[in-house]
Amino acid sequence: MLSGKRHLFKLDPARPIAEGQLEQLCTSGTHGIIVGGTDGITYENTKFLYERLRRYDKPIYQEISHADAILSGFDGYLIPLVLNAGNPQWIFQVHQQAIKQFGNMIDWSKCQVEGYIILNERSKVASITEAKTSLSYEDILAYARLADQMLKLPYIYIEYSGRYGDPLLLRKLKHAIRNASLIYGGGINSEAKAREMSRYAETIIVGNVIYENFELALATICDDFIC
Ligand code: 1GP
């Protein structure tokens, strides 16, 4: 689903965005849009955002956080599995319950699992999943190998949501991972940060800055990413 050097914007259905801004994002040279968030995600706000996005010729993916907000029609579905969740609910229980409820309607050929490692202890997603964020490089590399070599997940997502992460960690991960594709998200709000993390991660995700400083969000797309 996501391969090669990729830049994606992540839009939160629970946060308002102007029509003109959506158009600028979708015609910016980004490779696609992920629709997802942590709080206040509903079927209705997801559908509203999806309907506005589908007018543009960009792949749109839904990152699933609430089973009752799953909408058909997306180009692909990303299913987070939080490897360092302190609350086991976020490792397999929410997935098992969602499959129990909707299992016969799921098109698995469009679904891919992201092995999430959440590292910003102040983020909302860290508090909801009770993520164990005080980890050494060795701990994080072991989670990554578990996802890559033991579970054979297609993606490992290093999530610093709201804060710029540690490039040295990304460099170590790049060398340790054999098959999975590395995704990085967190605090990218400039071309320099986008370039730095994309040296190590195949895919970089830009979220919060869209809502905080729109011009800076657009500036994260550098020549390396132009389609
Ligand atoms: C959030 O990883 C994404 O899930 C992007 O992080 O919002 O900090 O850009 P930011």
Side-chain angles (χ1 to χ4, degrees):
M1 201 158 15
L2 311 174
S3 60
K5 283 282 171 202
R6 305 261 114 184
H7 172 291
L8 292 132
F9 285 118
K10 190 184 280 191
L11 291 178
D12 185 338
R15 296 170 91 172
I17 183 157
E19 208 54 54
Q21 292 184 330
L22 271 193
E23 182 176 355
Q24 285 186 73
L25 294 177
C26 292
T27 55
S28 63
T30 190
H31 291 90
I33 309 285
I34 295 179
V35 171
T38 308
D39 272 346
I41 309 297
T42 63
Y43 181 84
E44 288 70 29
N45 60 25
T46 302
K47 187 166 193 299
F48 179 61
L49 182 56
Y50 168 78
E51 296 293 348
R52 295 163 74 205
L53 286 168
R54 65 188 289 214
R55 287 180 268 155
Y56 303 98
D57 185 24
K58 270 300 161 197
I60 332 169
Y61 309 102
Q62 184 174 22
E63 187 172 60
I64 298 168
S65 58
H66 297 68
D68 48 13
I70 300 172
L71 193 76
S72 63
F74 279 93
D75 296 294
Y77 296 87
L78 298 164
I79 304 175
L81 180 67
V82 182
L83 300 167
N84 62 329
N87 180 344
Q89 177 88 356
W90 295 97
I91 304 177
F92 278 132
Q93 289 173 20
V94 284
H95 310 77
Q96 188 259 0
Q97 286 301 306
I99 292 167
K100 187 174 161 194
Q101 199 179 345
F102 302 108
N104 54 357
M105 296 189 287
I106 298 172
D107 177 356
W108 289 105
S109 66
K110 285 186 158 188
C111 298
Q112 300 226 274
V113 177
E114 307 163 304
Y116 255 71
I117 306 175
I118 297 174
L119 295 172
N120 177 5
E121 70 284 359
R122 293 180 175 215
S123 61
K124 229 177 266 170
V125 67
S127 88
I128 287 177
T129 60
E130 298 167 36
K132 295 176 183 171
T133 55
S134 299
L135 299 172
S136 64
Y137 284 145
E138 288 70 27
D139 285 324
I140 299 167
L141 291 177
Y143 274 124
R145 291 192 169 111
L146 183 151
D148 177 41
Q149 285 144 46
M150 192 174 109
L151 299 178
K152 312 231 180 297
L153 299 185
Y155 304 113
I156 294 171
Y157 191 135
I158 301 301
E159 173 67 292
Y160 274 90
S161 182
R163 190 180 95 203
Y164 191 60
D166 174 1
L168 179 58
L169 167 66
L170 271 284
R171 184 150 72 89
K172 288 176 184 287
L173 285 163
K174 181 184 165 139
H175 293 301
I177 294 170
R178 286 196 204 146
N179 299 311
S181 179
L182 188 57
I183 300 177
Y184 171 80
I188 294 181
N189 57 8
S190 67
E191 181 178 331
K193 288 178 183 163
R195 269 187 202 285
E196 182 169 45
M197 286 311 191
S198 64
R199 271 210 293 272
Y200 312 117
E202 226 171 349
T203 304
I204 58 162
I205 312 283
V206 175
N208 271 305
V209 70
I210 299 166
Y211 302 95
E212 288 162 0
N213 187 328
F214 190 74
E215 293 309 315
L216 291 185
L218 291 178
T220 62
I221 302 173
C222 41
D223 294 345
D224 303 3
F225 293 121
I226 297 296
C227 306

